[in-house]
Amino acid sequence: MDSKKLEILMTAVDLGSFSKASEVVGYTQSGLTHLVDSLEREIGLRLVRRDRSGVSLTREGEALMPSIREFLRENAKLENQIAAITEKKSETIRVAAYASIAMHWMPEILYRFRRVCPDIDVDLRMVDHELEPFELLEKWETDVIFAARQPGFACDWTPLWNDPMCAIVPLEYPLKGDVFPVGEFADKEFLMPYGRFDLDARAVFEQNGVEPRIRPCYVDDETVIRMVGKGLGLSMMAEMMIRGQQDGVRVLPVHPAAGRELGMGLHPREALPEGIARLRSCVLEFIEDAARARAKK
């Protein structure tokens, strides 16, 4: 049964006039009359009477009206539930992350999130430079970022991980211990990471008063590491950037120890949307598990 026809019938009866009802529902009076006639033929009963005083229910119409009203209430409830489910299924959380985080963290995080929120999509975007996640967040072009904390950007920040800085040297480089003194970089050919990830390395050099001979490299991390392996210079990156790409080189933590704080950034707000709150819970659980695994090594 067409609920639209029943709604129009109710409107005409409640207003007591086809002409008034036509103004409300956007039909011509003749069109509305034709629609009600069609409904009566479909049901097989005459539901309304028309006279000079307007529109009123027949005895059969009066008997059916409570059930018609109940039907329309339940139909409206069903449509609202369908709309709510459809809206939930179309929800998408936009995430921007460094390539290293996207590679080493996000597959497991997204797997955990999918298990608790199967109807929410995550649009994962890898960024091109270290400050880009914060710039995207400020412009409301992303909802969540995974990055290294940066001064000068305001967001709801959750610290997650200390990512130590490591020296990358050729296999044959003469070493004197299990750490690499930052001063050892002085006057050495240094292959500088690109994409503003030089901020981390430059901060270490400035803090220790060290001046290497810097060669900017406009290539990806893996290529820089391969260049080091061929003896073209030394480099320094955060541990996560190097993970899984250590063939042909030696990797040692620098001394004095230095690192970057990796975390999760959100838009500042009083209450988090449910999907983002659940994503953060999955992230924190993942980090706890990763910390326990690292402690066992």
Side-chain angles (χ1 to χ4, degrees), residues 52-207:
R52 293 180 180 178
S53 60
V55 175
S56 60
L57 289 169
T58 63
R59 184 175 60 183
E60 292 83 359
E62 289 178 351
L64 291 176
M65 189 53 62
S67 296
I68 291 174
R69 292 185 187 275
E70 180 64 23
F71 170 81
L72 291 175
R73 279 196 295 269
E74 291 301 317
N75 188 70
K77 182 179 178 181
L78 175 61
E79 290 180 349
N80 288 337
Q81 289 177 334
I82 292 172
I85 293 172
T86 302
E87 181 179 352
K88 185 177 181 181
K89 282 192 172 183
S90 65
E91 181 179 350
T92 300
I93 298 175
R94 300 167 300 170
V95 175
Y98 295 161
S100 56
I101 295 177
M103 179 185 301
H104 298 297
W105 283 6
M106 295 311 300
E108 176 64 20
I109 289 172
L110 295 180
Y111 168 73
R112 297 180 183 214
F113 181 68
R114 177 64 59 86
R115 293 176 65 184
V116 297
C117 294
D119 297 325
I120 301 179
D121 293 328
V122 175
D123 181 7
L124 177 60
R125 169 178 180 173
M126 290 193 297
V127 298
D128 294 326
H129 64 79
E130 191 161 18
L131 303 183
E132 187 178 2
F134 297 91
E135 295 169 353
L136 292 171
L137 197 66
E138 282 192 339
K139 294 186 290 186
W140 288 82
E141 293 181 7
T142 193
D143 305 304
V144 180
I145 64 171
F146 292 94
R149 190 168 195 165
Q150 301 294 334
F153 292 93
C155 65
D156 179 356
W157 181 257
T158 302
L160 297 175
W161 195 264
N162 178 43
D163 194 20
M165 297 297 292
C166 297
I168 309 169
V169 302
L171 290 175
E172 65 276 10
Y173 191 89
L175 298 172
K176 299 177 182 180
D178 295 331
V179 297
F180 192 89
V182 173
E184 185 80 11
F185 286 111
D187 295 323
K188 297 289 197 312
E189 193 88 357
F190 185 87
L191 306 179
M192 182 66 79
Y194 89 114
R196 301 311 310 274
F197 290 99
D198 62 330
L199 295 173
D200 301 320
R202 292 182 188 278
V204 174
F205 292 145
E206 290 175 4
Q207 290 166 8

Side-chain angles (χ1 to χ4, degrees), residues 100 163-169 185 190-194 197-198 200-202 204-205 217 219-228 234-243 245-246 249-254 258-260:
S100 56
D163 194 20
M165 297 297 292
C166 297
I168 309 169
V169 302
F185 286 111
F190 185 87
L191 306 179
M192 182 66 79
Y194 89 114
F197 290 99
D198 62 330
D200 301 320
R202 292 182 188 278
V204 174
F205 292 145
C217 296
V219 294
D220 60 16
D221 303 337
E222 183 178 3
T223 303
V224 170
I225 294 169
R226 288 178 179 272
M227 291 171 66
V228 171
L234 311 180
S235 192
M236 177 171 54
M237 300 180 189
E239 184 274 334
M240 190 176 292
M241 298 169 65
I242 308 167
R243 192 181 301 173
Q245 305 183 87
Q246 301 181 18
V249 297
R250 294 283 302 276
V251 175
L252 300 92
V254 298
R260 59 181 186 172

Side-chain angles (χ1 to χ4, degrees), residues 273-288:
E274 181 181 356
I276 293 178
R278 289 193 176 188
L279 176 61
R280 183 160 69 174
S281 295
C282 291
V283 170
L284 294 176
E285 290 173 3
F286 165 75
I287 292 298
E288 289 177 3

